[in-house]
Amino acid sequence: MKIGELAHRTGVSLRSLRYYEQQKLISPIRADNGYREYSPFAVEQVETIKFYLNMGFSTEQIGGFLNCVLQNKESFCRDVLPVYESKIAELDEQIRLLGRIRSNLHERVQAILEERRISPGIPIEGAMDDGNHDDR
DNA sequence: CTTCTGACA
DNA sequence: TGTCAGAA
């Protein structure tokens, strides 16, 4: 099938489909006219890519265990463990930062309700870090 | 009409 | 990621 059909059947934009290819997550073959030709498996492949992207993994990380996960239908691929663990650690870090922001705001709310004055805007370390891992 | 690549008021 | 251009 051509890119238009795959996009329609997966709900992924043409742009993203081409981007996944750039990131080596999918490798469609080229027809004589230069059009990308996807195998019918591309549908499930793109869906698993979307799944991991939503899990917060970078395209680079996904590229690492995609084939393994794709073949061993949700089975075990030991190489994914370290990736999953680092992701969990990353989430713990984000949760820690969010907790700081939360308590900071909570304190301000209380101050306002109690008509109490508190310290001015004090930046929270690392709070502005969106932890991006993408980009080739 | 569909796809391709490259680029960004 | 969207989107537009110019070409095939």
Side-chain angles (χ1 to χ4, degrees):
Chain A
M1 71 183 91
K2 294 192 298 296
I3 196 170
E5 186 183 341
L6 182 59
H8 180 77
R9 295 173 41 173
T10 60
V12 172
S13 68
L14 304 179
R15 180 72 153 76
S16 295
L17 252 19
R18 293 172 181 137
Y19 177 68
Y20 294 167
E21 182 179 352
Q22 267 195 312
Q23 303 306 298
K24 295 177 165 47
L25 297 183
I26 49 180
S27 302
I29 61 175
R30 293 308 181 113
D32 292 48
N33 54 14
Y35 288 9
R36 272 166 265 251
E37 191 58 44
Y38 297 87
S39 80
F41 293 112
V43 176
E44 37 184 321
Q45 292 189 182
V46 170
E47 286 175 339
T48 72
I49 290 173
K50 279 204 310 185
F51 175 75
Y52 285 104
L53 243 26
N54 287 325
M55 290 285 281
F57 291 101
S58 67
T59 54
E60 187 183 353
Q61 291 176 140
I62 296 174
F65 57 73
L66 183 59
N67 290 313
C68 187
V69 175
L70 228 39
Q71 293 173 46
N72 305 314
K73 197 174 185 179
E74 286 301 323
S75 296
F76 20 178
C77 307
R78 296 198 90 135
D79 8 326
V80 311
L81 262 34
V83 184
Y84 282 6
E85 293 175 333
S86 70
K87 187 61 192 177
I88 290 174
E90 190 183 307
L91 291 174
D92 286 338
E93 175 66 359
Q94 295 305 134
I95 289 172
R96 185 177 70 81
L97 260 24
L98 290 173
R100 283 188 146 247
I101 294 175
R102 201 210 84 94
S103 60
N104 185 302
L105 290 174
H106 181 63
E107 181 184 305
R108 288 162 187 286
V109 169
Q110 291 309 305
I112 292 173
L113 295 178
E114 296 167 23
E115 300 184 310
R116 172 165 53 74
R117 294 181 67 81
I118 61 176
S119 51
I122 300 174
I124 298 176
E125 96 156 74
M128 297 301 276
D129 212 274
D130 64 0
N132 256 125
H133 267 297
D134 294 75
D135 287 315
R136 165 195 166 186

